[in-house]
Amino acid sequence: MKLTDILSGQFNAAEWEAKGYQLPKFDIQALREKTAKEPTWVHFGGGNIFRAFPAAILNDALNTGKYDRGVIVAETFDFEVVDKAYAPYQNLSLCVNLCSDGSIEKKVIASVTEALKADPQFPDWQRLVDIFRNPSLEMISFTITEKGYSYNDADLARGLKPLFAMGKVCALLYERWQAGQLPLTVQSMDNCSHNGDKVKAGVFAYAEKWVADGLVPAAFLDYLKDETKITFPWSMIDKITPRPHEKVKEMLAQDGFEDNDYIETEKHTFTAPFVNAEEVQYLVIEDHYTNGRPPLDLGGALYTTRETVDKVETMKVTTCLNPLHTAMSIYGCMLGYTLISAEMADEDLRPFIQKIGYIEAMPVVVDPGVLNPYEFIGAVINRRLPNPFMPDAPQRIAMDTSQKLPIRFGETLKKYIARGLDKSNLVLIPLTLAGYARYLKGLKDDLTPFEPSPDPMLAELQAIVAPLEIGKPDQDWSPLRQLFSRKDVFGLDLYEAGLGEQIEGMVRELYAGSGAVRQTLHKYVQAR
């Protein structure tokens, strides 16, 4: 069983379907021919998240028979991905959704019609220019990570031959302007706040520099700023796509599926002909298009207003997912866990995050309307975090914790104060913050050492708690005031918020001695 068999006359569909593989219900060759002539969507970034999510939901939309155009992928960073993950398999891939019950869903993705190297050094660049000059093009989108939107003075100074992704996109938009000021939507699908603004800032930086240097007319910049022509909508995307999993490779091999080799490029991109991903996914998109759009809602995407996208993102980042991750990571590291899924079987940690979400965070959630907050948390706790296929570790999530606390907990505390909510409802969120003061010691609950995860403020914050000793109740606890008054770490002065003394008391319990972390966690979770 090989992906390229699907395009051959020797293909045995019944054999694949008997083994649980969902096959495309559309004519792949007809799709490719129509898309080549009248392209509607170019996606920048051909990595795992793209194949497992945007390309997969387009595949679902195509299976309805209500749409007939595929997506053209353009790789801006790692060109080996095109050579090794796309070309050998004629742009087909296998999406493997990893279910929390230990089963897998297997879906052949045939929505990608071309894979191009987005750089003028390759012949593919002229193909991209032709696509951008085609009036049929409706949307370009991105999963290039937040770093992909960066630019610097050196690249800005390269004129119309930039090296960075945003410069290349700006150059292609200039081609579209020259073709008749044709409309287009520039849509980020990266997992970062207000992502459309990041694309906009990058594109504008190049355009403004080129106008200032006299390389392009000022009218080009006017075109980019005209929202009847060009828009930069926001979106919220959420789906975990880890590296190709050994367990998945073995399960596919048992089926007789042969395209399961690991691919590692020179730039250390890890991929394969198959992509494994969690089963739960969300894509909420601001519906602000100027030239039509692919109907991704047929595959499960939600189109809505910018305000609603912002509410969904706020719900996820400040209450329903990210804070739970951080609470688990702090205590998971101290209790010796190395897998998030294993933590979810812990009799204290599971109710710990469950109660943070449902009891303490939920009062400040603004229901976005398109996603129910209770159902969102339910999916996190019951399907996403316990998933045995997800090899995520508390040590990874604990990276940069000092940068995450102001958003993941500080914003919730500010809302309690601003809305006059009863702060006596807050027990486990303060316990999380108290746990951070114990985590910084780099000692597990049994007092054996562990290495705290990388963090730009780690050394500075560890120096604050350095005088504190575990198992010494009568010591000078004044360093805690220095720590918990830090607005840059917690988002607000926890003493001014009326929580400092409560948190200090919890820290003293956590510092009582060996086993105190477990004992304190159990005490407050049970009491809650």
Side-chain angles (χ1 to χ4, degrees), residues 274-296:
F274 68 89
V275 183
N276 45 231
E278 66 171 334
E279 60 182 316
V280 180
Q281 60 188 32
Y282 305 94
L283 180 58
V284 185
I285 304 173
E286 177 189 352
D287 195 357
H288 190 21
Y289 289 76
T290 60
N291 197 36
R293 57 169 167 75
L296 297 183

mmCIF file with all atom_site columns, all heavy atoms in Angstrom, residues 274-296:
data_model
loop_
_atom_site.group_PDB
_atom_site.id
_atom_site.type_symbol
_atom_site.label_atom_id
_atom_site.label_alt_id
_atom_site.label_comp_id
_atom_site.label_asym_id
_atom_site.label_entity_id
_atom_site.label_seq_id
_atom_site.pdbx_PDB_ins_code
_atom_site.Cartn_x
_atom_site.Cartn_y
_atom_site.Cartn_z
_atom_site.occupancy
_atom_site.B_iso_or_equiv
_atom_site.pdbx_formal_charge
_atom_site.auth_seq_id
_atom_site.auth_comp_id
_atom_site.auth_asym_id
_atom_site.auth_atom_id
_atom_site.pdbx_PDB_model_num
ATOM 1   N N   . PHE A 1 274 ? 3.283   10.517 6.275  1.00 0.00 ? 274 PHE A N   1
ATOM 2   C CA  . PHE A 1 274 ? 2.086   10.607 7.113  1.00 0.00 ? 274 PHE A CA  1
ATOM 3   C C   . PHE A 1 274 ? 2.295   11.699 8.159  1.00 0.00 ? 274 PHE A C   1
ATOM 4   O O   . PHE A 1 274 ? 3.414   12.031 8.535  1.00 0.00 ? 274 PHE A O   1
ATOM 5   C CB  . PHE A 1 274 ? 1.788   9.266  7.793  1.00 0.00 ? 274 PHE A CB  1
ATOM 6   C CG  . PHE A 1 274 ? 2.801   8.849  8.831  1.00 0.00 ? 274 PHE A CG  1
ATOM 7   C CD1 . PHE A 1 274 ? 2.665   9.224  10.167 1.00 0.00 ? 274 PHE A CD1 1
ATOM 8   C CD2 . PHE A 1 274 ? 3.906   8.086  8.477  1.00 0.00 ? 274 PHE A CD2 1
ATOM 9   C CE1 . PHE A 1 274 ? 3.599   8.847  11.122 1.00 0.00 ? 274 PHE A CE1 1
ATOM 10  C CE2 . PHE A 1 274 ? 4.847   7.702  9.420  1.00 0.00 ? 274 PHE A CE2 1
ATOM 11  C CZ  . PHE A 1 274 ? 4.689   8.086  10.750 1.00 0.00 ? 274 PHE A CZ  1
ATOM 12  N N   . VAL A 1 275 ? 1.200   12.269 8.599  1.00 0.00 ? 275 VAL A N   1
ATOM 13  C CA  . VAL A 1 275 ? 1.223   13.261 9.671  1.00 0.00 ? 275 VAL A CA  1
ATOM 14  C C   . VAL A 1 275 ? 0.324   12.752 10.780 1.00 0.00 ? 275 VAL A C   1
ATOM 15  O O   . VAL A 1 275 ? -0.824  12.371 10.527 1.00 0.00 ? 275 VAL A O   1
ATOM 16  C CB  . VAL A 1 275 ? 0.694   14.631 9.191  1.00 0.00 ? 275 VAL A CB  1
ATOM 17  C CG1 . VAL A 1 275 ? 0.795   15.654 10.307 1.00 0.00 ? 275 VAL A CG1 1
ATOM 18  C CG2 . VAL A 1 275 ? 1.439   15.103 7.963  1.00 0.00 ? 275 VAL A CG2 1
ATOM 19  N N   . ASN A 1 276 ? 0.836   12.708 12.012 1.00 0.00 ? 276 ASN A N   1
ATOM 20  C CA  . ASN A 1 276 ? -0.034  12.324 13.117 1.00 0.00 ? 276 ASN A CA  1
ATOM 21  C C   . ASN A 1 276 ? -0.391  13.555 13.949 1.00 0.00 ? 276 ASN A C   1
ATOM 22  O O   . ASN A 1 276 ? 0.425   14.447 14.149 1.00 0.00 ? 276 ASN A O   1
ATOM 23  C CB  . ASN A 1 276 ? 0.573   11.220 13.980 1.00 0.00 ? 276 ASN A CB  1
ATOM 24  C CG  . ASN A 1 276 ? 2.028   11.400 14.340 1.00 0.00 ? 276 ASN A CG  1
ATOM 25  O OD1 . ASN A 1 276 ? 2.821   10.478 14.145 1.00 0.00 ? 276 ASN A OD1 1
ATOM 26  N ND2 . ASN A 1 276 ? 2.408   12.546 14.860 1.00 0.00 ? 276 ASN A ND2 1
ATOM 27  N N   . ALA A 1 277 ? -1.636  13.594 14.383 1.00 0.00 ? 277 ALA A N   1
ATOM 28  C CA  . ALA A 1 277 ? -2.127  14.768 15.092 1.00 0.00 ? 277 ALA A CA  1
ATOM 29  C C   . ALA A 1 277 ? -3.245  14.359 16.042 1.00 0.00 ? 277 ALA A C   1
ATOM 30  O O   . ALA A 1 277 ? -3.869  13.308 15.880 1.00 0.00 ? 277 ALA A O   1
ATOM 31  C CB  . ALA A 1 277 ? -2.656  15.803 14.099 1.00 0.00 ? 277 ALA A CB  1
ATOM 32  N N   . GLU A 1 278 ? -3.485  15.219 17.043 1.00 0.00 ? 278 GLU A N   1
ATOM 33  C CA  . GLU A 1 278 ? -4.593  14.933 17.952 1.00 0.00 ? 278 GLU A CA  1
ATOM 34  C C   . GLU A 1 278 ? -5.918  15.054 17.197 1.00 0.00 ? 278 GLU A C   1
ATOM 35  O O   . GLU A 1 278 ? -6.012  15.716 16.157 1.00 0.00 ? 278 GLU A O   1
ATOM 36  C CB  . GLU A 1 278 ? -4.576  15.873 19.147 1.00 0.00 ? 278 GLU A CB  1
ATOM 37  C CG  . GLU A 1 278 ? -4.843  17.329 18.815 1.00 0.00 ? 278 GLU A CG  1
ATOM 38  C CD  . GLU A 1 278 ? -5.025  18.191 20.048 1.00 0.00 ? 278 GLU A CD  1
ATOM 39  O OE1 . GLU A 1 278 ? -5.433  17.659 21.091 1.00 0.00 ? 278 GLU A OE1 1
ATOM 40  O OE2 . GLU A 1 278 ? -4.782  19.403 19.957 1.00 0.00 ? 278 GLU A OE2 1
ATOM 41  N N   . GLU A 1 279 ? -6.957  14.424 17.749 1.00 0.00 ? 279 GLU A N   1
ATOM 42  C CA  . GLU A 1 279 ? -8.256  14.398 17.073 1.00 0.00 ? 279 GLU A CA  1
ATOM 43  C C   . GLU A 1 279 ? -9.006  15.724 17.202 1.00 0.00 ? 279 GLU A C   1
ATOM 44  O O   . GLU A 1 279 ? -9.784  16.101 16.317 1.00 0.00 ? 279 GLU A O   1
ATOM 45  C CB  . GLU A 1 279 ? -9.117  13.271 17.648 1.00 0.00 ? 279 GLU A CB  1
ATOM 46  C CG  . GLU A 1 279 ? -9.378  13.410 19.146 1.00 0.00 ? 279 GLU A CG  1
ATOM 47  C CD  . GLU A 1 279 ? -10.196 12.263 19.720 1.00 0.00 ? 279 GLU A CD  1
ATOM 48  O OE1 . GLU A 1 279 ? -11.193 11.867 19.084 1.00 0.00 ? 279 GLU A OE1 1
ATOM 49  O OE2 . GLU A 1 279 ? -9.846  11.777 20.823 1.00 0.00 ? 279 GLU A OE2 1
ATOM 50  N N   . VAL A 1 280 ? -8.794  16.455 18.294 1.00 0.00 ? 280 VAL A N   1
ATOM 51  C CA  . VAL A 1 280 ? -9.530  17.690 18.537 1.00 0.00 ? 280 VAL A CA  1
ATOM 52  C C   . VAL A 1 280 ? -8.873  18.843 17.775 1.00 0.00 ? 280 VAL A C   1
ATOM 53  O O   . VAL A 1 280 ? -7.642  18.955 17.753 1.00 0.00 ? 280 VAL A O   1
ATOM 54  C CB  . VAL A 1 280 ? -9.576  18.008 20.049 1.00 0.00 ? 280 VAL A CB  1
ATOM 55  C CG1 . VAL A 1 280 ? -10.343 19.292 20.320 1.00 0.00 ? 280 VAL A CG1 1
ATOM 56  C CG2 . VAL A 1 280 ? -10.204 16.847 20.816 1.00 0.00 ? 280 VAL A CG2 1
ATOM 57  N N   . GLN A 1 281 ? -9.677  19.698 17.170 1.00 0.00 ? 281 GLN A N   1
ATOM 58  C CA  . GLN A 1 281 ? -9.117  20.805 16.402 1.00 0.00 ? 281 GLN A CA  1
ATOM 59  C C   . GLN A 1 281 ? -10.117 21.956 16.339 1.00 0.00 ? 281 GLN A C   1
ATOM 60  O O   . GLN A 1 281 ? -11.334 21.752 16.362 1.00 0.00 ? 281 GLN A O   1
ATOM 61  C CB  . GLN A 1 281 ? -8.763  20.342 14.989 1.00 0.00 ? 281 GLN A CB  1
ATOM 62  C CG  . GLN A 1 281 ? -9.958  19.801 14.198 1.00 0.00 ? 281 GLN A CG  1
ATOM 63  C CD  . GLN A 1 281 ? -9.551  19.185 12.879 1.00 0.00 ? 281 GLN A CD  1
ATOM 64  O OE1 . GLN A 1 281 ? -8.471  18.618 12.749 1.00 0.00 ? 281 GLN A OE1 1
ATOM 65  N NE2 . GLN A 1 281 ? -10.410 19.284 11.869 1.00 0.00 ? 281 GLN A NE2 1
ATOM 66  N N   . TYR A 1 282 ? -9.564  23.170 16.261 1.00 0.00 ? 282 TYR A N   1
ATOM 67  C CA  . TYR A 1 282 ? -10.392 24.369 16.146 1.00 0.00 ? 282 TYR A CA  1
ATOM 68  C C   . TYR A 1 282 ? -9.717  25.336 15.176 1.00 0.00 ? 282 TYR A C   1
ATOM 69  O O   . TYR A 1 282 ? -8.513  25.571 15.261 1.00 0.00 ? 282 TYR A O   1
ATOM 70  C CB  . TYR A 1 282 ? -10.553 25.072 17.493 1.00 0.00 ? 282 TYR A CB  1
ATOM 71  C CG  . TYR A 1 282 ? -11.089 24.202 18.614 1.00 0.00 ? 282 TYR A CG  1
ATOM 72  C CD1 . TYR A 1 282 ? -10.213 23.547 19.487 1.00 0.00 ? 282 TYR A CD1 1
ATOM 73  C CD2 . TYR A 1 282 ? -12.458 24.026 18.790 1.00 0.00 ? 282 TYR A CD2 1
ATOM 74  C CE1 . TYR A 1 282 ? -10.697 22.751 20.519 1.00 0.00 ? 282 TYR A CE1 1
ATOM 75  C CE2 . TYR A 1 282 ? -12.948 23.220 19.814 1.00 0.00 ? 282 TYR A CE2 1
ATOM 76  C CZ  . TYR A 1 282 ? -12.069 22.594 20.674 1.00 0.00 ? 282 TYR A CZ  1
ATOM 77  O OH  . TYR A 1 282 ? -12.546 21.802 21.693 1.00 0.00 ? 282 TYR A OH  1
ATOM 78  N N   . LEU A 1 283 ? -10.493 25.884 14.265 1.00 0.00 ? 283 LEU A N   1
ATOM 79  C CA  . LEU A 1 283 ? -10.026 26.957 13.395 1.00 0.00 ? 283 LEU A CA  1
ATOM 80  C C   . LEU A 1 283 ? -11.159 27.971 13.283 1.00 0.00 ? 283 LEU A C   1
ATOM 81  O O   . LEU A 1 283 ? -12.188 27.697 12.652 1.00 0.00 ? 283 LEU A O   1
ATOM 82  C CB  . LEU A 1 283 ? -9.626  26.435 12.016 1.00 0.00 ? 283 LEU A CB  1
ATOM 83  C CG  . LEU A 1 283 ? -9.117  27.493 11.021 1.00 0.00 ? 283 LEU A CG  1
ATOM 84  C CD1 . LEU A 1 283 ? -7.910  28.244 11.583 1.00 0.00 ? 283 LEU A CD1 1
ATOM 85  C CD2 . LEU A 1 283 ? -8.770  26.856 9.676  1.00 0.00 ? 283 LEU A CD2 1
ATOM 86  N N   . VAL A 1 284 ? -10.955 29.122 13.905 1.00 0.00 ? 284 VAL A N   1
ATOM 87  C CA  . VAL A 1 284 ? -11.960 30.193 13.927 1.00 0.00 ? 284 VAL A CA  1
ATOM 88  C C   . VAL A 1 284 ? -11.372 31.375 13.168 1.00 0.00 ? 284 VAL A C   1
ATOM 89  O O   . VAL A 1 284 ? -10.295 31.864 13.517 1.00 0.00 ? 284 VAL A O   1
ATOM 90  C CB  . VAL A 1 284 ? -12.321 30.591 15.374 1.00 0.00 ? 284 VAL A CB  1
ATOM 91  C CG1 . VAL A 1 284 ? -13.448 31.619 15.386 1.00 0.00 ? 284 VAL A CG1 1
ATOM 92  C CG2 . VAL A 1 284 ? -12.714 29.359 16.184 1.00 0.00 ? 284 VAL A CG2 1
ATOM 93  N N   . ILE A 1 285 ? -12.058 31.826 12.127 1.00 0.00 ? 285 ILE A N   1
ATOM 94  C CA  . ILE A 1 285 ? -11.487 32.794 11.194 1.00 0.00 ? 285 ILE A CA  1
ATOM 95  C C   . ILE A 1 285 ? -12.384 34.025 11.071 1.00 0.00 ? 285 ILE A C   1
ATOM 96  O O   . ILE A 1 285 ? -13.608 33.904 10.934 1.00 0.00 ? 285 ILE A O   1
ATOM 97  C CB  . ILE A 1 285 ? -11.318 32.164 9.795  1.00 0.00 ? 285 ILE A CB  1
ATOM 98  C CG1 . ILE A 1 285 ? -10.466 30.887 9.862  1.00 0.00 ? 285 ILE A CG1 1
ATOM 99  C CG2 . ILE A 1 285 ? -10.691 33.155 8.830  1.00 0.00 ? 285 ILE A CG2 1
ATOM 100 C CD1 . ILE A 1 285 ? -10.400 30.129 8.548  1.00 0.00 ? 285 ILE A CD1 1
ATOM 101 N N   . GLU A 1 286 ? -11.754 35.183 11.108 1.00 0.00 ? 286 GLU A N   1
ATOM 102 C CA  . GLU A 1 286 ? -12.469 36.428 10.852 1.00 0.00 ? 286 GLU A CA  1
ATOM 103 C C   . GLU A 1 286 ? -12.921 36.454 9.388  1.00 0.00 ? 286 GLU A C   1
ATOM 104 O O   . GLU A 1 286 ? -12.109 36.344 8.474  1.00 0.00 ? 286 GLU A O   1
ATOM 105 C CB  . GLU A 1 286 ? -11.558 37.622 11.144 1.00 0.00 ? 286 GLU A CB  1
ATOM 106 C CG  . GLU A 1 286 ? -12.187 38.967 10.837 1.00 0.00 ? 286 GLU A CG  1
ATOM 107 C CD  . GLU A 1 286 ? -11.193 40.104 10.924 1.00 0.00 ? 286 GLU A CD  1
ATOM 108 O OE1 . GLU A 1 286 ? -10.050 39.882 11.369 1.00 0.00 ? 286 GLU A OE1 1
ATOM 109 O OE2 . GLU A 1 286 ? -11.568 41.233 10.539 1.00 0.00 ? 286 GLU A OE2 1
ATOM 110 N N   . ASP A 1 287 ? -14.210 36.628 9.175  1.00 0.00 ? 287 ASP A N   1
ATOM 111 C CA  . ASP A 1 287 ? -14.776 36.553 7.827  1.00 0.00 ? 287 ASP A CA  1
ATOM 112 C C   . ASP A 1 287 ? -14.682 37.924 7.146  1.00 0.00 ? 287 ASP A C   1
ATOM 113 O O   . ASP A 1 287 ? -15.647 38.674 7.083  1.00 0.00 ? 287 ASP A O   1
ATOM 114 C CB  . ASP A 1 287 ? -16.231 36.092 7.904  1.00 0.00 ? 287 ASP A CB  1
ATOM 115 C CG  . ASP A 1 287 ? -16.776 35.636 6.567  1.00 0.00 ? 287 ASP A CG  1
ATOM 116 O OD1 . ASP A 1 287 ? -16.025 35.732 5.575  1.00 0.00 ? 287 ASP A OD1 1
ATOM 117 O OD2 . ASP A 1 287 ? -17.937 35.188 6.509  1.00 0.00 ? 287 ASP A OD2 1
ATOM 118 N N   . HIS A 1 288 ? -13.492 38.241 6.656  1.00 0.00 ? 288 HIS A N   1
ATOM 119 C CA  . HIS A 1 288 ? -13.252 39.556 6.035  1.00 0.00 ? 288 HIS A CA  1
ATOM 120 C C   . HIS A 1 288 ? -12.466 39.339 4.747  1.00 0.00 ? 288 HIS A C   1
ATOM 121 O O   . HIS A 1 288 ? -11.250 39.497 4.697  1.00 0.00 ? 288 HIS A O   1
ATOM 122 C CB  . HIS A 1 288 ? -12.487 40.444 7.019  1.00 0.00 ? 288 HIS A CB  1
ATOM 123 C CG  . HIS A 1 288 ? -12.392 41.876 6.598  1.00 0.00 ? 288 HIS A CG  1
ATOM 124 N ND1 . HIS A 1 288 ? -13.247 42.448 5.689  1.00 0.00 ? 288 HIS A ND1 1
ATOM 125 C CD2 . HIS A 1 288 ? -11.535 42.868 6.971  1.00 0.00 ? 288 HIS A CD2 1
ATOM 126 C CE1 . HIS A 1 288 ? -12.929 43.720 5.521  1.00 0.00 ? 288 HIS A CE1 1
ATOM 127 N NE2 . HIS A 1 288 ? -11.886 43.996 6.276  1.00 0.00 ? 288 HIS A NE2 1
ATOM 128 N N   . TYR A 1 289 ? -13.173 38.960 3.688  1.00 0.00 ? 289 TYR A N   1
ATOM 129 C CA  . TYR A 1 289 ? -12.560 38.581 2.422  1.00 0.00 ? 289 TYR A CA  1
ATOM 130 C C   . TYR A 1 289 ? -12.986 39.546 1.314  1.00 0.00 ? 289 TYR A C   1
ATOM 131 O O   . TYR A 1 289 ? -14.095 40.075 1.331  1.00 0.00 ? 289 TYR A O   1
ATOM 132 C CB  . TYR A 1 289 ? -12.938 37.143 2.063  1.00 0.00 ? 289 TYR A CB  1
ATOM 133 C CG  . TYR A 1 289 ? -12.262 36.130 2.959  1.00 0.00 ? 289 TYR A CG  1
ATOM 134 C CD1 . TYR A 1 289 ? -12.706 35.912 4.262  1.00 0.00 ? 289 TYR A CD1 1
ATOM 135 C CD2 . TYR A 1 289 ? -11.164 35.422 2.515  1.00 0.00 ? 289 TYR A CD2 1
ATOM 136 C CE1 . TYR A 1 289 ? -12.069 35.005 5.089  1.00 0.00 ? 289 TYR A CE1 1
ATOM 137 C CE2 . TYR A 1 289 ? -10.524 34.511 3.337  1.00 0.00 ? 289 TYR A CE2 1
ATOM 138 C CZ  . TYR A 1 289 ? -10.976 34.312 4.623  1.00 0.00 ? 289 TYR A CZ  1
ATOM 139 O OH  . TYR A 1 289 ? -10.337 33.422 5.446  1.00 0.00 ? 289 TYR A OH  1
ATOM 140 N N   . THR A 1 290 ? -12.124 39.753 0.350  1.00 0.00 ? 290 THR A N   1
ATOM 141 C CA  . THR A 1 290 ? -12.392 40.732 -0.715 1.00 0.00 ? 290 THR A CA  1
ATOM 142 C C   . THR A 1 290 ? -12.630 40.111 -2.075 1.00 0.00 ? 290 THR A C   1
ATOM 143 O O   . THR A 1 290 ? -13.090 40.789 -2.990 1.00 0.00 ? 290 THR A O   1
ATOM 144 C CB  . THR A 1 290 ? -11.200 41.706 -0.831 1.00 0.00 ? 290 THR A CB  1
ATOM 145 O OG1 . THR A 1 290 ? -10.014 40.946 -1.140 1.00 0.00 ? 290 THR A OG1 1
ATOM 146 C CG2 . THR A 1 290 ? -10.987 42.478 0.454  1.00 0.00 ? 290 THR A CG2 1
ATOM 147 N N   . ASN A 1 291 ? -12.314 38.811 -2.233 1.00 0.00 ? 291 ASN A N   1
ATOM 148 C CA  . ASN A 1 291 ? -12.403 38.187 -3.553 1.00 0.00 ? 291 ASN A CA  1
ATOM 149 C C   . ASN A 1 291 ? -12.981 36.779 -3.460 1.00 0.00 ? 291 ASN A C   1
ATOM 150 O O   . ASN A 1 291 ? -12.637 35.903 -4.237 1.00 0.00 ? 291 ASN A O   1
ATOM 151 C CB  . ASN A 1 291 ? -11.011 38.153 -4.212 1.00 0.00 ? 291 ASN A CB  1
ATOM 152 C CG  . ASN A 1 291 ? -11.081 37.904 -5.714 1.00 0.00 ? 291 ASN A CG  1
ATOM 153 O OD1 . ASN A 1 291 ? -11.994 38.368 -6.376 1.00 0.00 ? 291 ASN A OD1 1
ATOM 154 N ND2 . ASN A 1 291 ? -10.110 37.165 -6.239 1.00 0.00 ? 291 ASN A ND2 1
ATOM 155 N N   . GLY A 1 292 ? -13.844 36.563 -2.442 1.00 0.00 ? 292 GLY A N   1
ATOM 156 C CA  . GLY A 1 292 ? -14.344 35.222 -2.188 1.00 0.00 ? 292 GLY A CA  1
ATOM 157 C C   . GLY A 1 292 ? -13.361 34.427 -1.338 1.00 0.00 ? 292 GLY A C   1
ATOM 158 O O   . GLY A 1 292 ? -12.272 34.903 -1.010 1.00 0.00 ? 292 GLY A O   1
ATOM 159 N N   . ARG A 1 293 ? -13.752 33.221 -0.962 1.00 0.00 ? 293 ARG A N   1
ATOM 160 C CA  . ARG A 1 293 ? -12.881 32.384 -0.127 1.00 0.00 ? 293 ARG A CA  1
ATOM 161 C C   . ARG A 1 293 ? -13.230 30.917 -0.319 1.00 0.00 ? 293 ARG A C   1
ATOM 162 O O   . ARG A 1 293 ? -14.374 30.577 -0.631 1.00 0.00 ? 293 ARG A O   1
ATOM 163 C CB  . ARG A 1 293 ? -13.016 32.764 1.338  1.00 0.00 ? 293 ARG A CB  1
ATOM 164 C CG  . ARG A 1 293 ? -14.447 32.682 1.883  1.00 0.00 ? 293 ARG A CG  1
ATOM 165 C CD  . ARG A 1 293 ? -14.464 32.801 3.392  1.00 0.00 ? 293 ARG A CD  1
ATOM 166 N NE  . ARG A 1 293 ? -15.767 33.038 3.969  1.00 0.00 ? 293 ARG A NE  1
ATOM 167 C CZ  . ARG A 1 293 ? -16.741 32.138 4.116  1.00 0.00 ? 293 ARG A CZ  1
ATOM 168 N NH1 . ARG A 1 293 ? -16.557 30.915 3.669  1.00 0.00 ? 293 ARG A NH1 1
ATOM 169 N NH2 . ARG A 1 293 ? -17.886 32.451 4.703  1.00 0.00 ? 293 ARG A NH2 1
ATOM 170 N N   . PRO A 1 294 ? -12.254 30.037 -0.112 1.00 0.00 ? 294 PRO A N   1
ATOM 171 C CA  . PRO A 1 294 ? -12.562 28.602 -0.106 1.00 0.00 ? 294 PRO A CA  1
ATOM 172 C C   . PRO A 1 294 ? -13.533 28.303 1.038  1.00 0.00 ? 294 PRO A C   1
ATOM 173 O O   . PRO A 1 294 ? -13.387 28.853 2.141  1.00 0.00 ? 294 PRO A O   1
ATOM 174 C CB  . PRO A 1 294 ? -11.194 27.950 0.151  1.00 0.00 ? 294 PRO A CB  1
ATOM 175 C CG  . PRO A 1 294 ? -10.189 28.991 -0.226 1.00 0.00 ? 294 PRO A CG  1
ATOM 176 C CD  . PRO A 1 294 ? -10.831 30.299 0.089  1.00 0.00 ? 294 PRO A CD  1
ATOM 177 N N   . PRO A 1 295 ? -14.529 27.448 0.833  1.00 0.00 ? 295 PRO A N   1
ATOM 178 C CA  . PRO A 1 295 ? -15.531 27.170 1.871  1.00 0.00 ? 295 PRO A CA  1
ATOM 179 C C   . PRO A 1 295 ? -15.019 26.188 2.926  1.00 0.00 ? 295 PRO A C   1
ATOM 180 O O   . PRO A 1 295 ? -15.499 25.052 3.031  1.00 0.00 ? 295 PRO A O   1
ATOM 181 C CB  . PRO A 1 295 ? -16.699 26.592 1.066  1.00 0.00 ? 295 PRO A CB  1
ATOM 182 C CG  . PRO A 1 295 ? -16.029 25.887 -0.073 1.00 0.00 ? 295 PRO A CG  1
ATOM 183 C CD  . PRO A 1 295 ? -14.826 26.714 -0.420 1.00 0.00 ? 295 PRO A CD  1
ATOM 184 N N   . LEU A 1 296 ? -14.055 26.642 3.721  1.00 0.00 ? 296 LEU A N   1
ATOM 185 C CA  . LEU A 1 296 ? -13.472 25.750 4.732  1.00 0.00 ? 296 LEU A CA  1
ATOM 186 C C   . LEU A 1 296 ? -14.478 25.402 5.820  1.00 0.00 ? 296 LEU A C   1
ATOM 187 O O   . LEU A 1 296 ? -14.267 24.457 6.583  1.00 0.00 ? 296 LEU A O   1
ATOM 188 C CB  . LEU A 1 296 ? -12.219 26.392 5.338  1.00 0.00 ? 296 LEU A CB  1
ATOM 189 C CG  . LEU A 1 296 ? -11.070 26.632 4.359  1.00 0.00 ? 296 LEU A CG  1
ATOM 190 C CD1 . LEU A 1 296 ? -9.860  27.201 5.090  1.00 0.00 ? 296 LEU A CD1 1
ATOM 191 C CD2 . LEU A 1 296 ? -10.690 25.359 3.616  1.00 0.00 ? 296 LEU A CD2 1
#
